[in-house]
Amino acid sequence: MTIIQNTIKDKQTSTKPIWLMRQAGRYLPEFRDIRKSNPDFINLCLDYSLSSKITLQPLERFNLDAAIIFSDILMVPYGLRQKVEFKENFGPKLDELNLKEILRVDEIDFIKRLFPIYKSIKEVSNNKLTKGKDIIGFVGAPWTLLVYMINKKSPKDDLIKGFFKDDFLINRILNVLEKFLKIHIEHQINSGATIIQIFDSWAGLLKEKDLPNYVYIPTLNLVNFVKSLNIPVICFPKGIKDYKKFCEIVNPSAINIDYTVDPSLILKEIKIPVQGGLDPKILLTDKENIKKETLKYLNIFKDHPYIFNLGHGVMPQTNPDMVEYLIKTVKES
Ligand code: CP3
């Protein structure tokens, strides 16, 4: 068993595995090199040879315990024929959602559109760099994908006015998402993904009373599906106030915490394995501070099954030497 699987399934606490959200990405010069000659981000994700190469780039450099497939949560709206673009200094930009068009997409059509992702996972899992390590497949949670599909861009602090006005549309989309997210998850697993992470990056935008409808229930359906395939599932409901309640209701195999929550409180309140927490901005400071903050998390979770990670993705301006230092600190402690 891999050390992450040991942490999640056997609740071992003696070794702390590490991988990082956005470990493949713009902070690596070798990624920026490829990106320069590939201005279309969606096409880059659909080039299985390049996307598998990018996935492996951080494993070439660092002693990481998992690879996360280089792709994006917005490949699912793309698979559902909603146009998605990534603009520099703006982020994702989606076309107006067309329900009729989306409802016409069938499973065969969807898989054809996303097939290179599955091929990329196969390549990665056959590479010697991932031998004995986990391969993390992922999806966006239904709520976060709904946000992008209706809002058509990152919401920053708030949703567009009238976001909730069309109940019928919202329910249809959530239904479609549940169906196709399961398909996407299953194909990633069949291609070699050994863990699934569910990113709910905009869970924090919802009021408490709306969490059951948009977060708890749709996520629970996916979590139960992944568990039925005998694969661990890690949830990241970023920004929610009550991680304890989320864990009680959704009960994933492990929970990724964000950098705004107090890890000591999490240790007290949460029984399941924990992942992440360290503020990615810490990697922009100096080694002394990185060490101090890293040891803080390792210390708090020393007797708890814990996978070291950040409280959100590695930032583009991060110096790769600091990432190396962080990993070394975790491995040597
Ligand atoms: O290394 C990895 O973690 C794997 C690849 C990965 C990407 N996106 C690549 C990417 C993963 C797991 C994601 C998830 C993702 N994508 C999330 C959930 C996690 C989170 O950040 O909250 C979200 C919300 C998205 C949507 C998305 N994709 C945004 C908002 C942006 C633009 C902002 C940004 O960070 O650049 C992207 C683009 C994106 N996805 C890039 C990468 C490497 C940058 C593309 C570029 O080079 O311009």
Side-chain angles (χ1 to χ4, degrees):
M1 232 197 288
T2 66
I3 90 168
I4 298 183
Q5 300 273 346
N6 256 320
T7 306
I8 295 177
K9 291 184 181 156
D10 291 353
K11 318 270 191 289
Q12 72 88 16
T13 58
S14 51
T15 330
K16 307 300 182 192
I18 176 168
W19 69 277
L20 303 173
M21 294 188 276
R22 291 285 176 93
Q23 64 188 30
R26 278 173 302 185
Y27 78 101
L28 288 178
E30 58 270 36
F31 170 74
R32 289 198 301 269
D33 272 351
I34 295 179
R35 185 76 172 95
K36 235 186 309 185
S37 43
N38 292 273
D40 186 323
F41 184 73
I42 295 278
N43 279 342
L44 181 56
C45 293
L46 292 172
D47 182 327
Y48 77 90
S49 149
L50 284 179
S51 71
S52 53
K53 194 169 160 189
I54 294 169
T55 302
L56 294 168
Q57 282 177 344
L59 278 81
E60 301 263 8
R61 274 184 182 250
F62 312 124
N63 185 12
L64 290 157
D65 293 302
I68 177 158
I69 291 306
F70 180 79
S71 179
D72 200 89
I73 61 165
L74 299 179
M75 295 311 286
V76 165
Y78 163 84
L80 293 171
R81 296 190 170 275
Q82 185 173 11
K83 193 172 171 213
V84 182
E85 286 172 280
F86 289 87
K87 302 209 152 182
E88 218 183 323
N89 304 319
F90 180 82
K93 188 174 173 296
L94 288 79
D95 270 11
E96 190 70 39
L97 184 156
N98 181 334
L99 184 61
K100 259 205 198 119
E101 179 94 357
I102 287 176
L103 292 174
R104 269 207 298 270
V105 177
D106 62 21
E107 181 166 348
I108 294 173
D109 188 20
F110 179 83
I111 291 167
K112 248 197 210 145
R113 284 172 75 75
L114 298 190
F115 196 70
I117 301 176
Y118 312 130
K119 214 167 154 176
S120 171
I121 298 176
K122 264 216 180 88
E123 292 264 321
V124 169
S125 67
N126 288 332
N127 191 288
K128 62 176 188 320
L129 282 170
T130 60
K131 204 163 171 258
K133 302 189 173 191
D134 280 287
I135 293 171
I136 302 187
F138 65 86
V139 292
W143 163 249
T144 285
L145 291 178
L146 182 77
V147 165
Y148 279 105
M149 290 171 82
I150 294 184
N151 209 65
K152 299 190 288 183
K153 61 179 168 81
S154 293
K156 310 276 183 243
D157 312 307
D158 213 353
L159 298 164
I160 48 163
K161 268 215 345 239
F163 182 93
F164 290 104
K165 72 171 189 290
D166 192 344
D167 243 11
F168 176 78
L169 177 74
I170 285 183
N171 288 323
R172 290 306 292 264
I173 298 290
L174 286 175
N175 254 321
V176 169
L177 283 172
E178 181 178 338
K179 172 179 164 189
F180 285 97
L181 288 171
K182 285 178 176 168
I183 293 169
H184 191 41
I185 287 170
E186 191 158 19
H187 276 79
Q188 292 184 69
I189 292 171
N190 291 341
S191 309
T194 55
I195 292 176
I196 295 293
Q197 176 142 332
I198 302 176
F199 289 96
D200 212 346
S201 307
W202 298 110
L205 289 180
L206 286 164
K207 297 194 181 73
E208 187 67 35
K209 69 165 177 44
D210 290 320
L211 286 173
N213 262 345
Y214 297 109
V215 170
Y216 298 155
I217 297 167
T219 308
L220 179 60
N221 286 335
L222 292 183
V223 163
N224 285 339
F225 177 73
V226 182
K227 285 181 177 172
S228 77
L229 301 173
N230 258 316
I231 294 283
V233 53
I234 306 170
C235 283
F236 183 24
K238 183 173 179 287
I240 55 157
K241 300 283 163 292
D242 197 342
Y243 273 91
K244 178 171 181 253
K245 189 162 179 195
F246 179 93
C247 289
E248 280 164 5
I249 295 171
V250 178
N251 192 27
S253 317
I255 183 82
N256 195 112
I257 54 173
D258 68 70
Y259 52 87
T260 65
V261 299
D262 173 5
S264 324
L265 189 66
I266 293 287
L267 178 72
K268 256 189 245 142
E269 290 189 331
I270 286 174
K271 299 284 162 269
I272 65 173
V274 173
Q275 172 176 284
L278 182 77
D279 191 336
K281 286 195 279 301
I282 298 291
L283 289 173
L284 307 180
T285 65
D286 52 76
K287 288 188 175 168
E288 197 185 332
N289 196 39
I290 294 173
K291 185 166 196 170
K292 188 182 106 218
E293 292 295 320
T294 301
L295 293 180
K296 183 180 102 185
Y297 279 89
L298 289 173
N299 235 333
I300 290 171
F301 292 110
K302 66 180 187 304
D303 298 320
H304 192 90
Y306 181 67
I307 303 162
F308 202 95
N309 204 321
L310 306 174
H312 203 191
V314 180
M315 300 169 90
Q317 61 272 45
T318 306
N319 178 348
D321 292 345
M322 296 304 179
V323 173
E324 172 148 36
Y325 182 74
L326 166 73
I327 295 167
K328 209 175 112 229
T329 306
V330 173
K331 287 291 171 190
E332 282 172 3
S333 76

